Amino acid sequence: MKAAAGPGFALRDVPPPVIRDNEVLIRVRRAGVCGTDVHIYDWDAWAQGRCHPPFTVGHEFAGDVVQVGHLVTDVRVDDRVTAEGHIVCGRCHLCRTGNAHVCPNTRIIGVDRDGCFADYIAMPATNVWQLDDAISYEIGGIHDPMGNAFHTALTNTEVPGSTVLVTGCGPIGIFAVGICRAAGASRIIASDVNPTRLALARAMGAHDAVTPQEAEGAVRAATGTLGVDVVLEMSGVPSAIHQAFALVRDGGRVQLLGIPAKPMELDLATEIIFKGITVYGVVGRRMYETWIQMTQFLRSGEFDPQPVITHRFPLERYDDAIAAIKSGSAGKVVFEVS
Ligand code: NAD
Ligand code: ZN
């Protein structure tokens, strides 16, 4: 948990959360570790402004329901589940128009309230997502970042038959490569600066896995002077974002998931307007279209996220888990909680 304002995590004995009438208590089996957790671990400026220790960190998990509140009708004890970690109000303009992923009243588990790096977590029943018997707790535990990739790759992108450039092959970029492959992209070019991550992108089905310097050549080889139909920007690095706009074809689409560390300059006229492109900002997962897509793709067997998971640790080894992410070479890092 995050015991106090300052760097690092701590392991503490705390009582299990007390659930409200509309909530369920879940015994956590597997939990994914994410860049957000690294920000909280490091206690950077964002974490200092947002989080209020002491609290339990972690927002990606799967486990078993062990208790349900009085008002819960559709989740039962012993259900194997994961959950959408963004808790929205359900009542605002955006929630009521199918845009709950940008609800201004969103509270995130492991950031704004207690999360899942613990034996138990309380979740509103509305956020619970049932896992098929065939889906392991490990895969269940990474539905949150996989959902980021599904949201980015499949929202208005018309992937079948398309040429796709994925800039940034962190866990989410690598998931996206596999999703685009399963969705029938004709050519997937993935770029990253890290050779280990490029190898993972290749394993997930990238036709070309290249350095940023090689990306332009790969796009030219695949599309001539046209450019790719779709770019999924998954690095948040300014030079990659400029490259996304440079290598998308006129009239194409750029999906922005990566978050730049600070404001950056764009030439709107040449990078966006005169190219007639569409730019989509990705926040979280669409509720719950993304979750349905994710479940259907997993059921089809055409998309297998297993190769993305490269590191497993018991909860006590949180320092090693964070170090693995900071190394920049890991795929998905997972805690084996119980
Ligand atoms: P990550 O940091 O592991 O992945 C980023 C990758 O980009 C790294 O592998 C890095 O080597 C690579 N990279 C660096 N420079 C590059 C360049 N010039 N060209 C291509 N690749 C380059 O992160 P992740 O966990 O996979 O997440 C990806 C991004 O998405 C991060 O910026 C993260 O903050 C963001 N994110 C956004 C949301 C959202 O809802 N919008 C949710 C989760 C994560
Ligand atoms: Zn709302």
Side-chain angles (χ1 to χ4, degrees), residues 189 215-227 246-247:
I189 300 158
E216 183 174 351
V219 169
R220 296 274 171 268
T223 72
T225 54
L226 188 63
L247 297 183

Side-chain angles (χ1 to χ4, degrees), residues 88-92 95 103-105:
V88 299
C89 74
R91 300 201 44 82
C92 70
C95 282
C103 168
N105 307 311

Side-chain angles (χ1 to χ4, degrees), residues 148 167-173 191-194 197 212 234-237 239-240 257-259 282-284:
N148 296 138
T167 52
C169 297
I172 303 177
S191 71
D192 201 291
V193 293
N194 183 302
R197 287 189 155 175
M234 305 204 139
S235 74
V237 173
S239 60
L257 172 98
I259 303 169
V282 180
V283 183

Side-chain angles (χ1 to χ4, degrees), residues 291-303:
W291 292 82
I292 293 167
Q293 287 171 332
M294 191 153 42
T295 298
Q296 308 281 49
F297 269 65
L298 289 170
R299 278 183 191 156
S300 77
E302 298 294 318
F303 169 68

Side-chain angles (χ1 to χ4, degrees), residues 93-177:
H93 180 103
L94 293 162
C95 282
R96 289 180 155 188
T97 54
N99 294 294
H101 61 296
V102 284
C103 168
N105 307 311
T106 300
R107 300 189 72 230
I108 305 179
I109 60 170
V111 175
D112 304 313
R113 61 179 256 166
D114 283 328
C116 63
F117 294 166
D119 291 320
Y120 296 97
I121 180 170
M123 281 307 297
T126 48
N127 283 57
V128 169
W129 192 257
Q130 305 279 348
L131 293 174
D132 286 355
D133 291 343
I135 302 300
S136 65
Y137 290 115
E138 187 167 85
I139 299 300
I142 57 169
H143 270 42
D144 169 301
M146 220 158 64
N148 296 138
F150 272 97
H151 183 179
T152 312
L154 297 186
T155 304
N156 299 321
T157 46
E158 298 172 26
V159 166
S162 290
T163 50
V164 181
L165 170 65
V166 179
T167 52
C169 297
I172 303 177
I174 314 169
F175 286 132
V177 167

Side-chain angles (χ1 to χ4, degrees), residues 42-126:
D42 286 343
W43 202 238
D44 67 8
W46 169 82
Q48 289 177 35
R50 174 86 181 235
C51 304
H52 303 283
F55 68 101
T56 302
V57 188
H59 55 275
E60 309 173 356
F61 74 96
D64 301 306
V65 175
V66 294
Q67 191 191 350
V68 303
H70 296 300
L71 298 177
V72 176
T73 53
D74 60 344
V75 181
R76 295 190 175 78
V77 168
D78 287 339
D79 282 356
R80 298 170 70 255
V81 301
T82 177
E84 167 56 60
H86 289 194
I87 298 171
V88 299
C89 74
R91 300 201 44 82
C92 70
H93 180 103
L94 293 162
C95 282
R96 289 180 155 188
T97 54
N99 294 294
H101 61 296
V102 284
C103 168
N105 307 311
T106 300
R107 300 189 72 230
I108 305 179
I109 60 170
V111 175
D112 304 313
R113 61 179 256 166
D114 283 328
C116 63
F117 294 166
D119 291 320
Y120 296 97
I121 180 170
M123 281 307 297
T126 48

Side-chain angles (χ1 to χ4, degrees), residues 30-49:
R30 296 290 182 276
V33 193
C34 160
T36 303
D37 305 320
V38 178
H39 291 295
I40 298 172
Y41 181 94
D42 286 343
W43 202 238
D44 67 8
W46 169 82
Q48 289 177 35

